[in-house]
Amino acid sequence: MRVRHGLTGFRRPWRPSTGLITIPLAIIAAVTVIDINIPEAIHLGPFLVAAPAITASFAGPGVTAAIGALAVAAQVLIGQLHGGLMTANHLAQVAALFLISVLVTVFCYVRDRRERELEEIRTVATTAQRVLVRPLPRRVGGLRIASRYLAAESEAQIGGDLYAAVPCCGATRVVVGDVRGRGLPAVDEAASILGAFRGSAYRELPLPEIVAHLGNVAYWSTRHRADGDPEAEESFTTALVLDIHDDDPFIALVNCGHPPPLLLRDGKVRTLEADEPALPLGLTAPSASDYKVETFSFELGDLLLLYTDGVIEARDRSGAFYPLADRVTAGSAAAPDALVRHLHADLLRHAGGNLGDDAVIIAIAKSS
């Protein structure tokens, strides 16, 4: 599941409640009544400009224009009762109030149009994100899976973190990775790797060969983009590719410079460090011999935690990194959903709701 800072969906443009509308109406009524009942030498009419100005902060152009028109009408009434509308002073006040009301209404119109355009962009970005990084199924074969995708920026809908799971070779094959950088180049790289991973599932390649395939896709994708983007030459993707076997109590993995998985067993956390981690994807054009498969025990009752570096590099106000291993133990639970919910909420509390990078959390358990 994809989650942004504890919220799902989009932020909709805020629209006023009936209570807020009463504020500019009350200003117009108060200024009109007071100005009519005080000496003509004192002019409170200019305060009417506050009504459309305040309305523009929470309402759309239609409501703002209506409040502006009402304020101008109130100014005309005051002028009629205080020496006549055609005096130079009253004409100047009416003209100024009318002009400001028009400008504020135009501002509201432009703001609302940009909000609609931004909303359309968010919709397209979220659709692309869901196509690119599809939510992991809750069950794959004999596995229970829970996942979260947390965007670093409040307006972000798409990024370079990637993950996928496919059935293959009597196992569930999983990839999780993190493309260096942000923006469209990172999205393009993630899309290439995920497409290659999903497309190769039917071939049932051995683990070193599938990792080599992903490495070559990343390498040639990077070289192609480097022609028009010098920064692409420094692009790479850390990745973890693993097979979780259906009938055997172990996992086989290849680590390409990615943060190692954590294994939670009997309330204790073990880091599954690779003895010979490989280079990140995209730095070279590799072959299968460049990758060593390492195996680790994974039994009923165990929880496997995969993540990207946006989790462990999240900082609190003092600059301390998120202590993932300690927090996994504190939130230990039998169900992947419960663990992911705990880590999701705890990570956001630690970072004050502002992550420095996109983050992925995936918890996997074997079903009995």
Side-chain angles (χ1 to χ4, degrees), residues 208-255:
E209 292 188 24
I210 181 61
V211 180
H213 176 56
L214 299 181
N216 278 286
V217 168
Y219 177 76
W220 291 110
S221 174
T222 299
R223 299 287 78 74
H224 175 73
R225 289 189 293 107
D227 293 340
D229 181 7
E231 292 186 5
E233 295 182 359
E234 301 178 0
S235 177
F236 60 84
T237 301
T238 65
L240 188 71
V241 186
L242 61 151
D243 285 345
I244 306 175
H245 293 269
D246 298 335
D247 301 323
D248 298 311
F250 68 89
I251 61 175
L253 67 84
V254 174
N255 191 330

Short mmCIF file of all heavy atoms in Angstrom, two decimals, residues 208-255:
data_model
loop_
_atom_site.label_atom_id
_atom_site.label_comp_id
_atom_site.label_asym_id
_atom_site.label_seq_id
_atom_site.Cartn_x
_atom_site.Cartn_y
_atom_site.Cartn_z
N PRO A 208 21.18 -15.45 -9.81
CA PRO A 208 22.27 -14.62 -10.36
C PRO A 208 21.97 -14.09 -11.75
O PRO A 208 22.36 -12.97 -12.10
CB PRO A 208 23.47 -15.57 -10.37
CG PRO A 208 23.16 -16.61 -9.35
CD PRO A 208 21.67 -16.80 -9.44
N GLU A 209 21.27 -14.89 -12.55
CA GLU A 209 20.98 -14.46 -13.92
C GLU A 209 19.94 -13.35 -13.96
O GLU A 209 20.04 -12.41 -14.77
CB GLU A 209 20.52 -15.65 -14.75
CG GLU A 209 21.62 -16.68 -15.00
CD GLU A 209 21.19 -17.75 -15.99
OE1 GLU A 209 20.27 -17.49 -16.79
OE2 GLU A 209 21.78 -18.84 -15.96
N ILE A 210 18.94 -13.42 -13.10
CA ILE A 210 17.95 -12.35 -13.08
C ILE A 210 18.57 -11.05 -12.58
O ILE A 210 18.29 -9.97 -13.10
CB ILE A 210 16.71 -12.73 -12.24
CG1 ILE A 210 15.68 -11.59 -12.26
CG2 ILE A 210 17.07 -13.03 -10.81
CD1 ILE A 210 15.16 -11.24 -13.61
N VAL A 211 19.47 -11.15 -11.59
CA VAL A 211 20.13 -9.93 -11.10
C VAL A 211 21.03 -9.36 -12.19
O VAL A 211 21.10 -8.14 -12.38
CB VAL A 211 20.92 -10.21 -9.81
CG1 VAL A 211 21.60 -8.93 -9.32
CG2 VAL A 211 19.99 -10.75 -8.72
N ALA A 212 21.74 -10.22 -12.92
CA ALA A 212 22.57 -9.74 -14.02
C ALA A 212 21.71 -9.07 -15.09
O ALA A 212 22.10 -8.05 -15.68
CB ALA A 212 23.36 -10.90 -14.61
N HIS A 213 20.54 -9.65 -15.35
CA HIS A 213 19.62 -9.05 -16.32
C HIS A 213 19.19 -7.66 -15.87
O HIS A 213 19.22 -6.69 -16.66
CB HIS A 213 18.41 -9.96 -16.48
CG HIS A 213 17.34 -9.41 -17.38
ND1 HIS A 213 17.58 -9.02 -18.68
CD2 HIS A 213 16.01 -9.17 -17.16
CE1 HIS A 213 16.47 -8.56 -19.23
NE2 HIS A 213 15.50 -8.65 -18.32
N LEU A 214 18.84 -7.53 -14.60
CA LEU A 214 18.44 -6.22 -14.08
C LEU A 214 19.62 -5.24 -14.13
O LEU A 214 19.44 -4.05 -14.46
CB LEU A 214 17.95 -6.34 -12.64
CG LEU A 214 16.72 -7.22 -12.40
CD1 LEU A 214 16.35 -7.22 -10.92
CD2 LEU A 214 15.55 -6.77 -13.25
N GLY A 215 20.81 -5.74 -13.82
CA GLY A 215 21.98 -4.87 -13.86
C GLY A 215 22.27 -4.35 -15.25
O GLY A 215 22.63 -3.18 -15.43
N ASN A 216 22.11 -5.19 -16.26
CA ASN A 216 22.34 -4.75 -17.63
C ASN A 216 21.28 -3.76 -18.09
O ASN A 216 21.57 -2.78 -18.79
CB ASN A 216 22.38 -5.96 -18.57
CG ASN A 216 23.75 -6.63 -18.58
OD1 ASN A 216 24.70 -6.12 -19.16
ND2 ASN A 216 23.83 -7.78 -17.91
N VAL A 217 20.03 -4.02 -17.70
CA VAL A 217 18.96 -3.07 -18.04
C VAL A 217 19.25 -1.71 -17.42
O VAL A 217 19.14 -0.66 -18.08
CB VAL A 217 17.60 -3.61 -17.57
CG1 VAL A 217 16.54 -2.51 -17.64
CG2 VAL A 217 17.17 -4.80 -18.41
N ALA A 218 19.64 -1.71 -16.15
CA ALA A 218 19.95 -0.45 -15.47
C ALA A 218 21.15 0.24 -16.11
O ALA A 218 21.16 1.47 -16.29
CB ALA A 218 20.21 -0.70 -13.99
N TYR A 219 22.16 -0.54 -16.47
CA TYR A 219 23.38 0.04 -17.05
C TYR A 219 23.09 0.70 -18.39
O TYR A 219 23.46 1.86 -18.63
CB TYR A 219 24.43 -1.04 -17.21
CG TYR A 219 25.71 -0.55 -17.86
CD1 TYR A 219 26.63 0.21 -17.14
CD2 TYR A 219 25.98 -0.83 -19.20
CE1 TYR A 219 27.80 0.66 -17.74
CE2 TYR A 219 27.15 -0.39 -19.80
CZ TYR A 219 28.05 0.37 -19.07
OH TYR A 219 29.19 0.83 -19.67
N TRP A 220 22.42 -0.03 -19.29
CA TRP A 220 22.18 0.53 -20.62
C TRP A 220 21.12 1.63 -20.58
O TRP A 220 21.18 2.57 -21.38
CB TRP A 220 21.79 -0.58 -21.58
CG TRP A 220 22.95 -1.48 -21.86
CD1 TRP A 220 23.10 -2.78 -21.46
CD2 TRP A 220 24.15 -1.14 -22.54
NE1 TRP A 220 24.32 -3.27 -21.86
CE2 TRP A 220 24.99 -2.28 -22.53
CE3 TRP A 220 24.60 0.03 -23.18
CZ2 TRP A 220 26.25 -2.30 -23.12
CZ3 TRP A 220 25.85 0.01 -23.77
CH2 TRP A 220 26.66 -1.14 -23.74
N SER A 221 20.19 1.55 -19.65
CA SER A 221 19.24 2.64 -19.48
C SER A 221 19.96 3.91 -19.03
O SER A 221 19.70 5.01 -19.52
CB SER A 221 18.17 2.25 -18.46
OG SER A 221 17.33 3.34 -18.16
N THR A 222 20.92 3.74 -18.12
CA THR A 222 21.70 4.89 -17.63
C THR A 222 22.55 5.47 -18.74
O THR A 222 22.63 6.69 -18.92
CB THR A 222 22.59 4.46 -16.46
OG1 THR A 222 21.76 3.98 -15.39
CG2 THR A 222 23.42 5.63 -15.95
N ARG A 223 23.20 4.60 -19.51
CA ARG A 223 24.05 5.10 -20.61
C ARG A 223 23.22 5.84 -21.65
O ARG A 223 23.65 6.84 -22.23
CB ARG A 223 24.79 3.93 -21.28
CG ARG A 223 25.71 3.15 -20.37
CD ARG A 223 27.00 3.90 -20.02
NE ARG A 223 26.86 4.94 -19.01
CZ ARG A 223 26.70 4.68 -17.69
NH1 ARG A 223 26.64 3.44 -17.25
NH2 ARG A 223 26.60 5.66 -16.84
N HIS A 224 22.02 5.35 -21.93
CA HIS A 224 21.16 6.01 -22.90
C HIS A 224 20.76 7.40 -22.42
O HIS A 224 20.80 8.37 -23.18
CB HIS A 224 19.91 5.16 -23.15
CG HIS A 224 18.90 5.82 -24.05
ND1 HIS A 224 19.10 5.97 -25.41
CD2 HIS A 224 17.69 6.40 -23.76
CE1 HIS A 224 18.06 6.60 -25.93
NE2 HIS A 224 17.20 6.87 -24.97
N ARG A 225 20.42 7.51 -21.15
CA ARG A 225 20.01 8.81 -20.61
C ARG A 225 21.19 9.75 -20.46
O ARG A 225 21.03 10.97 -20.45
CB ARG A 225 19.32 8.64 -19.26
CG ARG A 225 17.94 8.01 -19.36
CD ARG A 225 17.19 8.05 -18.03
NE ARG A 225 17.83 7.20 -17.03
CZ ARG A 225 18.52 7.64 -15.99
NH1 ARG A 225 18.70 8.94 -15.81
NH2 ARG A 225 19.05 6.80 -15.12
N ALA A 226 22.39 9.21 -20.35
CA ALA A 226 23.57 10.06 -20.14
C ALA A 226 23.86 10.95 -21.33
O ALA A 226 24.53 11.98 -21.19
CB ALA A 226 24.79 9.18 -19.83
N ASP A 227 23.35 10.59 -22.53
CA ASP A 227 23.59 11.41 -23.72
C ASP A 227 22.99 12.81 -23.55
O ASP A 227 23.54 13.78 -24.06
CB ASP A 227 22.99 10.73 -24.95
CG ASP A 227 23.72 9.45 -25.29
OD1 ASP A 227 24.88 9.29 -24.85
OD2 ASP A 227 23.12 8.60 -25.99
N GLY A 228 21.86 12.89 -22.87
CA GLY A 228 21.23 14.20 -22.70
C GLY A 228 21.25 14.70 -21.28
O GLY A 228 20.77 15.80 -21.01
N ASP A 229 21.82 13.91 -20.35
CA ASP A 229 21.81 14.29 -18.94
C ASP A 229 23.12 13.84 -18.31
O ASP A 229 23.29 12.66 -17.98
CB ASP A 229 20.62 13.64 -18.23
CG ASP A 229 20.55 14.03 -16.76
OD1 ASP A 229 21.34 14.90 -16.34
OD2 ASP A 229 19.70 13.46 -16.04
N PRO A 230 24.09 14.75 -18.15
CA PRO A 230 25.38 14.37 -17.58
C PRO A 230 25.25 13.73 -16.19
O PRO A 230 26.06 12.87 -15.83
CB PRO A 230 26.13 15.71 -17.49
CG PRO A 230 25.47 16.58 -18.51
CD PRO A 230 24.03 16.16 -18.53
N GLU A 231 24.27 14.12 -15.41
CA GLU A 231 24.11 13.55 -14.08
C GLU A 231 23.74 12.07 -14.14
O GLU A 231 23.96 11.33 -13.18
CB GLU A 231 23.03 14.31 -13.30
CG GLU A 231 23.44 15.74 -12.96
CD GLU A 231 22.41 16.41 -12.06
OE1 GLU A 231 21.44 15.72 -11.65
OE2 GLU A 231 22.58 17.61 -11.77
N ALA A 232 23.19 11.63 -15.27
CA ALA A 232 22.80 10.23 -15.40
C ALA A 232 24.00 9.30 -15.33
O ALA A 232 23.88 8.12 -14.97
CB ALA A 232 22.04 10.00 -16.70
N GLU A 233 25.20 9.81 -15.68
CA GLU A 233 26.39 8.98 -15.63
C GLU A 233 26.70 8.53 -14.20
O GLU A 233 27.37 7.52 -13.99
CB GLU A 233 27.58 9.75 -16.21
CG GLU A 233 27.44 10.06 -17.70
CD GLU A 233 28.65 10.78 -18.25
OE1 GLU A 233 29.59 11.04 -17.45
OE2 GLU A 233 28.68 11.07 -19.46
N GLU A 234 26.24 9.29 -13.22
CA GLU A 234 26.48 8.94 -11.82
C GLU A 234 25.29 8.23 -11.20
O GLU A 234 25.27 7.97 -10.00
CB GLU A 234 26.79 10.21 -11.03
CG GLU A 234 28.00 10.98 -11.56
CD GLU A 234 28.25 12.26 -10.79
OE1 GLU A 234 27.48 12.54 -9.84
OE2 GLU A 234 29.20 12.98 -11.12
N SER A 235 24.31 7.89 -12.01
CA SER A 235 23.12 7.23 -11.48
C SER A 235 23.39 5.76 -11.20
O SER A 235 24.14 5.10 -11.92
CB SER A 235 21.96 7.37 -12.47
OG SER A 235 20.82 6.69 -12.00
N PHE A 236 22.78 5.25 -10.15
CA PHE A 236 22.84 3.83 -9.84
C PHE A 236 21.63 3.48 -8.97
O PHE A 236 20.93 4.36 -8.47
CB PHE A 236 24.14 3.46 -9.13
CG PHE A 236 24.35 4.17 -7.82
CD1 PHE A 236 23.78 3.70 -6.64
CD2 PHE A 236 25.13 5.32 -7.76
CE1 PHE A 236 23.99 4.35 -5.43
CE2 PHE A 236 25.33 6.00 -6.56
CZ PHE A 236 24.75 5.51 -5.40
N THR A 237 21.42 2.18 -8.80
CA THR A 237 20.28 1.70 -8.03
C THR A 237 20.75 0.64 -7.05
O THR A 237 21.32 -0.38 -7.47
CB THR A 237 19.21 1.09 -8.95
OG1 THR A 237 18.77 2.08 -9.89
CG2 THR A 237 18.02 0.59 -8.14
N THR A 238 20.55 0.88 -5.78
CA THR A 238 20.79 -0.19 -4.81
C THR A 238 19.58 -1.11 -4.85
O THR A 238 18.45 -0.66 -5.00
CB THR A 238 20.98 0.36 -3.40
OG1 THR A 238 19.77 0.97 -2.94
CG2 THR A 238 22.10 1.40 -3.36
N ALA A 239 19.81 -2.40 -4.73
CA ALA A 239 18.71 -3.35 -4.86
C ALA A 239 18.99 -4.61 -4.06
O ALA A 239 20.14 -5.00 -3.83
CB ALA A 239 18.46 -3.71 -6.32
N LEU A 240 17.91 -5.23 -3.65
CA LEU A 240 17.94 -6.51 -2.97
C LEU A 240 16.98 -7.43 -3.72
O LEU A 240 15.81 -7.10 -3.88
CB LEU A 240 17.50 -6.35 -1.52
CG LEU A 240 17.65 -7.54 -0.60
CD1 LEU A 240 19.12 -7.81 -0.31
CD2 LEU A 240 16.91 -7.29 0.70
N VAL A 241 17.49 -8.55 -4.23
CA VAL A 241 16.67 -9.50 -4.96
C VAL A 241 16.73 -10.83 -4.19
O VAL A 241 17.83 -11.33 -3.91
CB VAL A 241 17.15 -9.71 -6.40
CG1 VAL A 241 16.17 -10.60 -7.17
CG2 VAL A 241 17.30 -8.36 -7.11
N LEU A 242 15.58 -11.38 -3.85
CA LEU A 242 15.58 -12.59 -3.04
C LEU A 242 14.47 -13.54 -3.45
O LEU A 242 13.43 -13.12 -3.95
CB LEU A 242 15.44 -12.25 -1.55
CG LEU A 242 14.19 -11.52 -1.09
CD1 LEU A 242 13.88 -11.88 0.35
CD2 LEU A 242 14.38 -10.01 -1.20
N ASP A 243 14.73 -14.81 -3.22
CA ASP A 243 13.74 -15.87 -3.41
C ASP A 243 13.35 -16.42 -2.05
O ASP A 243 14.23 -16.83 -1.27
CB ASP A 243 14.31 -17.01 -4.26
CG ASP A 243 14.41 -16.65 -5.74
OD1 ASP A 243 13.77 -15.66 -6.14
OD2 ASP A 243 15.11 -17.37 -6.47
N ILE A 244 12.06 -16.40 -1.76
CA ILE A 244 11.55 -16.99 -0.52
C ILE A 244 10.87 -18.29 -0.92
O ILE A 244 9.80 -18.29 -1.53
CB ILE A 244 10.57 -16.04 0.18
CG1 ILE A 244 11.22 -14.67 0.40
CG2 ILE A 244 10.11 -16.63 1.50
CD1 ILE A 244 10.28 -13.62 0.97
N HIS A 245 11.48 -19.40 -0.59
CA HIS A 245 11.04 -20.71 -1.08
C HIS A 245 9.77 -21.17 -0.38
O HIS A 245 9.59 -20.97 0.83
CB HIS A 245 12.16 -21.73 -0.93
CG HIS A 245 13.33 -21.46 -1.82
ND1 HIS A 245 13.45 -22.00 -3.08
CD2 HIS A 245 14.43 -20.68 -1.63
CE1 HIS A 245 14.56 -21.58 -3.64
NE2 HIS A 245 15.19 -20.78 -2.79
N ASP A 246 8.90 -21.79 -1.16
CA ASP A 246 7.60 -22.23 -0.63
C ASP A 246 7.75 -23.39 0.35
O ASP A 246 7.09 -23.42 1.39
CB ASP A 246 6.69 -22.66 -1.78
CG ASP A 246 6.38 -21.51 -2.73
OD1 ASP A 246 6.46 -20.34 -2.27
OD2 ASP A 246 6.07 -21.77 -3.91
N ASP A 247 8.62 -24.35 0.03
CA ASP A 247 8.68 -25.59 0.80
C ASP A 247 9.95 -25.74 1.63
O ASP A 247 10.11 -26.74 2.33
CB ASP A 247 8.56 -26.80 -0.14
CG ASP A 247 7.26 -26.78 -0.94
OD1 ASP A 247 6.23 -26.38 -0.37
OD2 ASP A 247 7.28 -27.15 -2.13
N ASP A 248 10.83 -24.80 1.54
CA ASP A 248 12.09 -24.88 2.29
C ASP A 248 12.19 -23.71 3.26
O ASP A 248 11.81 -22.59 2.93
CB ASP A 248 13.29 -24.86 1.33
CG ASP A 248 13.27 -26.05 0.38
OD1 ASP A 248 13.11 -27.17 0.87
OD2 ASP A 248 13.41 -25.82 -0.85
N PRO A 249 12.75 -23.96 4.46
CA PRO A 249 12.80 -22.90 5.49
C PRO A 249 14.00 -21.97 5.32
O PRO A 249 14.78 -21.77 6.26
CB PRO A 249 12.89 -23.71 6.78
CG PRO A 249 13.67 -24.93 6.40
CD PRO A 249 13.25 -25.25 4.99
N PHE A 250 14.17 -21.42 4.14
CA PHE A 250 15.27 -20.48 3.95
C PHE A 250 14.95 -19.53 2.81
O PHE A 250 14.03 -19.77 2.01
CB PHE A 250 16.59 -21.21 3.69
CG PHE A 250 16.65 -21.93 2.37
CD1 PHE A 250 17.09 -21.28 1.22
CD2 PHE A 250 16.26 -23.27 2.25
CE1 PHE A 250 17.15 -21.93 0.00
CE2 PHE A 250 16.31 -23.92 1.05
CZ PHE A 250 16.75 -23.26 -0.09
N ILE A 251 15.70 -18.45 2.76
CA ILE A 251 15.62 -17.51 1.65
C ILE A 251 16.99 -17.43 0.99
O ILE A 251 18.02 -17.65 1.63
CB ILE A 251 15.20 -16.09 2.11
CG1 ILE A 251 16.20 -15.51 3.10
CG2 ILE A 251 13.81 -16.13 2.72
CD1 ILE A 251 15.91 -14.08 3.49
N ALA A 252 16.99 -17.16 -0.29
CA ALA A 252 18.22 -16.94 -1.04
C ALA A 252 18.20 -15.50 -1.55
O ALA A 252 17.19 -15.04 -2.07
CB ALA A 252 18.31 -17.91 -2.22
N LEU A 253 19.30 -14.80 -1.39
CA LEU A 253 19.29 -13.39 -1.78
C LEU A 253 20.61 -12.96 -2.39
O LEU A 253 21.67 -13.55 -2.13
CB LEU A 253 18.93 -12.50 -0.59
CG LEU A 253 19.89 -12.39 0.61
CD1 LEU A 253 20.98 -11.37 0.35
CD2 LEU A 253 19.12 -12.00 1.86
N VAL A 254 20.51 -11.91 -3.19
CA VAL A 254 21.67 -11.20 -3.71
C VAL A 254 21.50 -9.74 -3.32
O VAL A 254 20.46 -9.13 -3.60
CB VAL A 254 21.78 -11.33 -5.25
CG1 VAL A 254 22.90 -10.44 -5.77
CG2 VAL A 254 22.00 -12.77 -5.65
N ASN A 255 22.50 -9.19 -2.67
CA ASN A 255 22.44 -7.80 -2.21
C ASN A 255 23.34 -6.95 -3.07
O ASN A 255 24.56 -7.16 -3.12
CB ASN A 255 22.86 -7.70 -0.74
CG ASN A 255 22.54 -6.34 -0.15
OD1 ASN A 255 22.53 -5.33 -0.85
ND2 ASN A 255 22.29 -6.31 1.14
#
